[in-house]
Amino acid sequence: MSHPHPELGAPPALKEGALRITPLGGLGEIGRNMTVFEYGDRILIVDCGVLFPEDEQPGVDLILPDFTYIRDRLDKVDGIVLTHGHEDHIGAVPYLLRENPDIPLIGSKLTLALIEAKLAEHRIRPYVLEVAEGDRERIGPFDCEFIAVNHSIPDALAVAVRTPAGMVVATGDFKMDQLPLDGRLTDLPTFAKLAEEGMDLLLVDSTNAEVPGFIPHERDISAALRNVFANAERRIIVASFASHVHRIQQVLDAAHEYKRKVAFVGRSMVRNMGIARDLGYLKVPGNLIVDVKQLDDLPDKEVVLICTGSQGEPMAALSRMANRDHQIRIVEGDTVVLASSLIPGNENAVYRVINGLTRWGAKVVHKGNAKVHVSGHASAGELLYFFNICKPRNLMPVHGEWRHLRAAADLGVLTGVPRNRVVIAEDGVCVDLEGGVARIVGKVQAGYVYVDGSSVGDITEASLKDRRILGEEGFISVFVVVDSTNGKIVGGPTIQARGSGIDDSAFVPVAAKLQEALDRSASDGVLEIRQVQQLVRRTIGKWVADNYRRRPMIVPVVVEV
């Protein structure tokens, strides 16, 4: 079983006739999915998504893949294949197309509609090629065949990429629901045909590889939703991903049955559901949808709100409702349904929202106390079945944290994939397919690129460390005026603390110590500003650590006169 090593260096030049696969995101994490295929001097990209920040990344809006590896070769990119319309697969496309808007986008009807709406906000109009299951398109030297897969959004596709080096199949996100709401099954017969042709490398969704058995059917949620509707006393507020058309369809059906009106809340929810409705993926009974402004005219027991925020995102509608920072006020007797799973890393944020909603009197229904969610990813039983159909010669688990990748790899070995043909990689690791064998050949830069407001890539790990210190320990500013000729203090020191839990008056003893230290330093001929600042920082820092066991950020300001 191959695996990356910290000593991996830059990859060698790609050999003639070989295919290189380099994931720039999506391995060791849930999100930021992006895989680069290289043959000759041409490039094909599969997916280009974002990762959402966690608590230790304060102030960050989104996390992008690092485009450094391909930035100076964007003119060699023949296209970006988008497997489906979730943010973790399409969210970074606008940022890549800012650098080269001429790269074609290839995807299904709904996927392209969702990304085009997003790109319109960035004033980018790309060339798009709409494909459907069964289609086969030549994209540069890459012969791409598209296969229907079932997921938690309509129109998801896997892609088989053929080159003279062999065939690579990327599943995208998928599961094997045998009773999907739209009747669109994962196309196992086509995967079997690809196996007969010879599947040289399989990149497989690993998110649920640790979950035993088979994922329940999406339609099984219907009974739980109807139970919520039957027992709700006042308003029902459903939080879901803004792209989960099948889930929202079931909410609409239940609302229609129980004679409630529905309003969509949140820009992305309104936009995406409008697109899904216009394209026929969302079936809306007449007069069911109302504008949120009309809700005040309706009795609470006739209202359903569908909003974003199921992952505890700070600026999403549900989080703002929980914080009393939204026009919709939670009141005693409201029912809130979190119709989604917990993405790893979001647990604390979600429970914070649940507690906030409960505080205001809402009854919160979630996966932990009702069957209001099923996953969109194949579990262990489905993966075993899938591997036995595909019979891959080489296997590379993708889309998952380390534990998921390892679990998928083990399942592959159980079904007969030789252990030395299973590649466990991480972001930035280059895998070459040559002579029917996939092997790791090197590693390229693939770190996090942070989006903070309009800033892209300006925030560094050092910046985040400073933010964490400020958030957890506060800061202390020290203002000193010194004589530029002799280094003696002529003003201050003035010491102020913010967020450190230390009252300004407590600094009187250390101010005297600091003055003594600065006087001694001046007598020793230390006049350089940077050295004086370091002395201030050390003196204050040691005093705070000794007396308060805290390590705030200390900002010394030394002015020469």
Side-chain angles (χ1 to χ4, degrees), residues 174-229:
F174 85 107
K175 61 178 177 175
M176 288 162 55
D177 191 338
Q178 298 303 296
L179 297 170
L181 290 176
D182 59 3
R184 189 173 178 272
L185 296 162
T186 292
D187 189 355
L188 298 179
T190 293
F191 283 109
K193 289 177 183 176
L194 295 174
E196 290 177 9
E197 182 181 335
M199 197 178 293
D200 294 293
L201 177 60
L202 174 63
L203 308 183
V204 67
D205 175 8
S206 308
T207 307
N208 274 342
E210 288 187 311
V211 180
F214 287 71
I215 295 299
H217 307 302
E218 174 69 28
R219 64 179 64 226
D220 291 349
I221 292 172
S222 179
L225 284 175
R226 281 174 166 75
N227 183 57
V228 169
F229 275 76

Side-chain angles (χ1 to χ4, degrees), residues 487-517:
K488 297 291 185 179
I489 295 180
V490 295
T494 303
I495 306 173
Q496 292 184 317
R498 293 292 182 270
S500 66
I502 305 172
D503 189 83
D504 290 351
S505 62
F507 290 107
V508 172
V510 76
K513 288 185 178 182
L514 178 59
Q515 185 152 0
E516 291 174 9

Side-chain angles (χ1 to χ4, degrees), residues 152 175 207-208 215-216 218 247 341 367 373-378:
S152 54
K175 61 178 177 175
T207 307
N208 274 342
I215 295 299
E218 174 69 28
R247 188 69 44 80
S341 64
K367 185 183 178 183
H373 173 73
V374 299
S375 178
H377 303 270

Side-chain angles (χ1 to χ4, degrees), residues 134-154:
D135 288 350
R136 192 163 169 174
E137 295 286 346
R138 189 87 181 177
I139 305 169
F142 307 96
D143 180 357
C144 297
E145 181 177 351
F146 300 92
I147 310 115
V149 291
N150 180 249
H151 186 40
S152 54
I153 186 172

